[in-house]
Amino acid sequence: MKRPLIIFCLLSVVAAAAYFSFSHWAIRHETLTFFDESRGRPVAIDLAVRRDAEMKAEAGMVTLPVAVVSHGNTVKNTEYSFLANVLAARGYLVASIQHDLPDDKPLMTVAGSLYVGRLAVYERGEKNIFFALNELKKLEPNADYDHLTLVGHSNGGDISMFFAQQHPEMVRRVVTLDNLRVPFVTSGFAKILSFRSKDPQFKTDPGVLPDPKTAKEAGIEIIDTGAQHTEMSDRGPDSVKARIQSTLDKFLSDEGSSKLQPLDVQKDIKRMYNDPRAMGP
């Protein structure tokens, strides 16, 4: 019994190493900064895309699905590569947007007001997303900007959920990591996955999370991670990030809510090991 177990463990380690190496070798990252003249503010984007998927899109062979990643308060847009790489590995064009600037006012928490005083922040995030996508269309025209996957941590998760509320026709998936303020969309128009923390310092506002019955009817999947709120970025421990990556990858593999088919990274990894020349030099 020990021998098969040892072999299985070794294969798991090899597969994990292969995935890590493949992601870093095959995915192109680029930092772009655009200037929104109408608002007088720069909007920076950390772009992630599979090199082979991008080449196929440029040749008109495929249309890239688009994912938008929104960061948490005081966390940079570049600190979610563990999420961007999973998305990009499946063929997505990933735009991680920097929503906050150093001279922006700090987040407010005003009891009793709409979204505890953060409506202006969510509206600014909404405008950032539209502006970023319009600029990306000029650089990456062969992508589907009308059917988005939105991913966000904390305040970025609230921005994602707010955008989905305002523009349901544009959103196919929403993935949040411990968003605390904006109530979940329960109309069932998009598939929703939410990772929740176990952190007494960051409590979800009443009415944000749907009850289990409503969540099931709306196709909302809620995952209790047991992690701290601040661990849901690149700053978190590898064990937390690995669990989130695995669940996110499984969620993306279900194409029931989208006609777009992602590239199969696991198939490419196997092909790479069977014939290294197949992946190029």
Side-chain angles (χ1 to χ4, degrees):
M1 294 295 292
K2 290 183 178 180
R3 183 180 179 85
L5 179 60
I6 293 172
I7 293 174
F8 175 78
C9 292
L10 287 173
L11 288 175
S12 298
V13 171
V14 170
Y19 189 92
F20 179 85
S21 299
F22 180 85
S23 295
H24 284 71
W25 172 81
I27 296 171
R28 181 175 74 82
H29 285 268
E30 182 180 3
T31 299
L32 304 169
T33 302
F34 304 108
F35 190 79
D36 186 349
E37 294 182 358
S38 66
R39 295 185 293 156
R41 64 183 289 128
V43 178
I45 302 171
D46 184 61
L47 187 70
V49 61
R50 270 185 64 156
R51 297 180 189 276
D52 58 343
E54 186 176 34
M55 287 189 291
K56 290 178 180 179
E58 290 173 351
M61 299 171 61
V62 298
T63 300
L64 300 175
V66 176
V68 175
V69 179
S70 296
H71 61 86
N73 185 36
T74 73
V75 188
K76 297 297 183 183
N77 67 316
T78 55
E79 296 184 81
Y80 294 91
S81 63
F82 83 107
L83 298 174
N85 284 337
V86 172
L87 290 156
R90 281 199 162 269
Y92 283 77
L93 176 67
V94 187
S96 299
I97 301 173
Q98 180 63 41
H99 290 288
D100 303 335
L101 299 178
D103 56 351
D104 286 339
K105 294 180 180 179
L107 291 181
M108 298 174 60
T109 53
V110 180
S113 65
L114 183 62
Y115 302 143
V116 287
R118 298 187 181 186
L119 178 58
V121 174
Y122 305 146
E123 290 176 334
R124 184 181 68 205
E126 176 188 19
K127 292 177 181 177
N128 286 341
I129 292 173
F130 272 119
F131 176 75
L133 294 180
N134 285 331
E135 293 301 311
L136 277 179
K137 288 177 183 178
K138 304 171 186 177
L139 301 176
E140 300 278 358
N142 295 316
D144 185 357
Y145 297 97
D146 296 324
H147 305 91
L148 304 173
T149 292
L150 303 178
V151 182
H153 173 219
S154 190
N155 186 62
D158 288 321
I159 291 174
S160 300
M161 198 66 72
F162 179 80
F163 189 97
Q165 288 180 355
Q166 302 302 310
H167 309 282
E169 75 286 353
M170 293 183 63
V171 181
R172 289 293 175 267
R173 288 186 179 82
V174 181
V175 180
T176 70
L177 297 93
D178 225 27
N179 63 306
L180 306 176
R181 313 295 181 195
V182 178
F184 278 52
V185 176
T186 57
S187 60
F189 68 87
K191 296 198 66 174
I192 297 177
L193 170 66
S194 184
F195 298 95
R196 314 308 301 178
S197 75
K198 186 177 181 181
D199 194 329
Q201 296 186 21
F202 294 88
K203 295 183 178 181
T204 307
D205 284 355
V208 171
L209 289 174
D211 61 77
K213 181 176 182 294
T214 301
K216 183 177 180 180
E217 291 175 350
I220 298 172
E221 187 176 359
I222 298 175
I223 306 296
D224 293 320
T225 66
Q228 297 295 300
H229 179 84
T230 55
E231 291 179 334
M232 296 180 174
S233 70
D234 286 349
R235 303 177 186 181
D238 290 341
S239 58
V240 171
K241 291 184 289 186
R243 291 199 303 271
I244 292 174
Q245 285 178 314
S246 177
T247 304
L248 174 59
D249 188 63
K250 182 179 178 181
F251 178 72
L252 295 173
S253 70
D254 177 10
E255 289 299 303
S257 62
S258 174
K259 296 180 180 179
L260 297 169
Q261 296 295 323
L263 299 177
D264 191 343
V265 64
Q266 298 298 337
K267 180 179 179 181
D268 285 341
I269 290 173
K270 292 177 182 177
R271 185 159 58 95
M272 177 179 67
Y273 268 82
N274 291 332
D275 183 6
R277 294 171 299 176
M279 300 306 294

